């Protein structure tokens, strides 16, 4: 009997209508389009506007697009995982609400949080459920309303982040397609350099914390950049070496969209030409857990069955990793 592997068989996406451009940011903080573009590669980002709209709103939209494209009855879904750094609220999992709202009444759900590596880690988890043979349809959604934790007077962070969501469906493959190998890492020293301090049990949200703006993202940009450049490229190299792959074997690099220079450094380390590098950071900025599924949605029409994709990510905490993946269908 053929070994079961976990393949992606459908994708969906949602991006908010409101566009925050570099020109608009020039009027909000001391910055300019040339500086932002040169340092990050970002030209604009999407922001979710409207009362009562959180991460779940975008996750539901992305999931519904996937269901419609796949012509899939949501009752067939057995598990919903929402990878996110910005859940709707504490204690009540966003995934559970999303599952109910899309009609996945036979599914259980849970959230997964590993900063910008949340979706990459989620791919690993979703694949394990499929490989077990017990589950046939797992919906993995990467969604973040980053604007909910951004101080728009802080020019170091407000230029980087945007909102969005992407969804993928994992199903069994008997052709050896899907997830081939993974190399996942973490180092707790990283939480000193990138975090939202006042949000958890250690530092609850208080009036004093809000006055200090500790409910917004803090990032030591230089330290994070240095670690991201080295570690994301390092795991990509290791996953290639471990699977005896060369740059000629790789069809695509799907790297977390945090900074264009980091993505280019990763591609350079594995000697991959720019035409094989998925890139949409210029349109959306860093959408945290949503960057990788948004890449897949934007590049879906170019993907061919059997394509070798190297996924790579780096996030706060620190968390990082790489996945070697074979695409399962022609669009």
């Amino acid at each position: 009997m053929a070994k079961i592997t976990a393949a992606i068989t459908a994708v969906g996406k949602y991006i908010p209508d409101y566009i925050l451009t570099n020109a608009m940011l020039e009027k909000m903080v001391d910055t300019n389009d040339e500086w932002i573009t040169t340092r990050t590669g970002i030209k604009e980002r999407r922001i979710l506007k409207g009362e009562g709209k959180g991460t779940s709103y975008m996750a539901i939209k992305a999931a519904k697009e996937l269901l419609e494209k796949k012509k899939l009855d949501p009752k067939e879904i057995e598990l919903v995982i929402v990878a996110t750094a910005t859940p709707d609220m504490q204690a009540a999992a966003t995934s559970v609400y999303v599952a109910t709202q899309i009609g996945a009444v036979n599914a259980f759900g849970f959230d997964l949080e590993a900063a910008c590596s949340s979706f990459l880690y989620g791919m690993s988890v979703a694949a394990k459920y499929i490989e077990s043979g017990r589950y046939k349809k797992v919906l993995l959604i990467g969604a973040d309303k980053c604007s909910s934790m951004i101080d728009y007077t802080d020019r170091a962070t407000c230029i980087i982040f945007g909102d969005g969501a992407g969804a993928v469906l994992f199903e069994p493959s008997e052709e050896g397609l899907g997830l081939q190998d993974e190399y996942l890492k973490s180092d707790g020293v990283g939480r000193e350099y990138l975090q939202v301090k006042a949000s958890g049990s250690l530092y609850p949200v208080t009036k004093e914390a809000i006055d200090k703006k500790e409910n917004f993202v803090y990032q030591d940009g230089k330290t994070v950049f240095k670690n991201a450049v080295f570690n994301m490229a390092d795991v990509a190299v290791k996953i290639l070496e471990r699977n005896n792959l060369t740059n000629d074997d790789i069809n695509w690099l799907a790297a977390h969209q945090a900074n264009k220079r980091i993505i280019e450094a990763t591609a350079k380390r594995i000697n991959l030409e720019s035409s094989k590098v998925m890139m949409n950071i210029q349109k959306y900025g860093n959408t945290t857990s949503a960057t990788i599924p948004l890449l897949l949605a934007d590049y879906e029409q170019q993907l061919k069955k059997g394509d070798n994709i190297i996924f790579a990510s780096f996030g706060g905490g620190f968390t990082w990793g790489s996945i070697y993946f074979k695409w399962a269908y022609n669009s």
Side-chain angles (χ1 to χ4, degrees):
M1 187 175 178
K3 178 188 174 184
I4 296 173
T5 52
I8 290 173
T9 59
V11 301
K13 66 179 270 193
Y14 174 79
I15 50 169
D17 294 329
Y18 184 85
I19 300 173
L20 179 60
T21 66
N22 290 349
M24 294 163 72
L25 283 169
E26 288 178 1
K27 299 174 182 177
M28 297 164 60
V29 292
D30 182 17
T31 191
N32 60 74
D33 173 69
E34 182 184 7
W35 191 91
I36 297 171
T37 304
T38 302
R39 296 298 184 94
T40 69
I42 302 167
K43 300 296 287 186
E44 58 189 42
R45 63 290 291 149
R46 300 300 181 105
I47 306 296
L48 182 64
K49 298 280 190 176
E51 190 175 347
K53 292 180 178 178
T55 293
S56 65
Y57 177 87
M58 298 183 291
I60 290 164
K61 291 280 191 180
K64 285 184 174 179
E65 186 189 79
L66 182 151
L67 292 170
E68 186 176 332
K69 284 168 62 178
K70 183 72 171 173
K71 300 291 186 287
L72 177 66
D73 183 346
K75 294 184 180 67
E76 294 182 41
I77 297 171
E78 298 155 288
L79 168 60
V80 175
I81 304 170
V82 172
T84 184
T86 56
D88 281 2
M89 57 185 72
Q90 292 185 1
T94 301
S95 57
V96 176
Y97 178 72
V98 170
T100 297
Q101 292 302 114
I102 65 173
V105 295
N106 295 315
F108 71 102
F110 58 85
D111 295 354
L112 192 156
E113 201 278 300
C116 293
S117 299
S118 297
F119 189 84
L120 190 84
Y121 284 18
M123 291 176 68
S124 171
V125 173
K128 299 303 180 292
Y129 276 97
I130 294 295
E131 291 166 3
S132 74
R134 185 172 292 178
Y135 300 90
K136 307 298 182 187
K137 288 179 171 60
V138 175
L139 181 65
L140 172 63
I141 306 167
D144 268 305
K145 186 181 178 181
C146 297
S147 60
S148 67
M149 57 179 180
I150 297 301
D151 174 8
Y152 284 93
T153 66
D154 176 14
R155 67 175 185 171
T157 56
C158 73
I159 65 170
I160 299 170
F161 295 95
D163 303 336
V168 301
L169 181 68
F170 273 88
E171 293 188 276
S173 168
E174 293 186 355
E175 299 178 83
L177 301 169
L179 198 149
Q180 305 295 306
D181 194 15
E182 61 185 44
Y183 191 80
L184 308 179
K185 301 285 288 181
S186 63
D187 185 348
V189 70
R191 81 172 181 174
E192 178 183 343
Y193 305 107
L194 176 55
Q195 44 34 29
V196 180
K197 187 174 181 180
S199 59
S201 60
L202 187 60
Y203 299 100
V205 178
T206 62
K207 184 180 183 303
E208 183 183 8
I210 292 173
D211 289 342
K212 293 180 179 178
K213 296 188 174 183
E214 291 176 345
N215 56 315
F216 294 125
V217 166
Y218 163 77
Q219 176 172 278
D220 179 337
K222 289 183 179 179
T223 302
V224 173
F225 181 85
K226 182 176 69 174
N227 278 273
V229 167
F230 176 80
N231 287 314
M232 204 159 83
D234 183 61
V235 288
V237 168
K238 283 183 167 62
I239 204 85
L240 261 64
E241 291 175 347
R242 198 157 77 178
N243 291 276
N244 297 314
L245 298 169
T246 69
N247 59 321
D248 291 331
D249 298 314
I250 303 308
N251 300 100
W252 297 100
L253 171 67
H256 169 57
Q257 306 287 289
N259 184 298
K260 187 179 180 183
R261 292 185 294 163
I262 298 172
I263 300 163
E264 289 174 341
T266 302
K268 185 177 180 180
R269 275 286 302 277
I270 58 175
N271 299 313
L272 208 62
E273 55 265 39
S274 59
S275 62
K276 292 183 176 182
V277 180
M278 295 186 187
M279 190 92 71
N280 61 13
I281 190 172
Q282 68 279 4
K283 297 189 295 180
Y284 309 136
N286 181 353
T287 55
T288 307
S289 309
T291 64
I292 288 176
L294 283 174
L295 280 176
L296 293 178
D298 284 357
Y299 280 82
E300 183 185 19
Q301 297 301 317
Q302 299 181 54
L303 299 176
K304 300 289 187 292
K305 184 176 180 179
D307 275 0
N308 287 323
I309 305 174
I310 296 299
F311 292 94
S313 189
F314 183 88
F318 290 130
T319 59
W320 70 98
S322 183
I323 285 176
Y324 166 36
F325 204 89
K326 281 187 176 291
W327 196 246
Y329 65 96
N330 296 312
S331 298

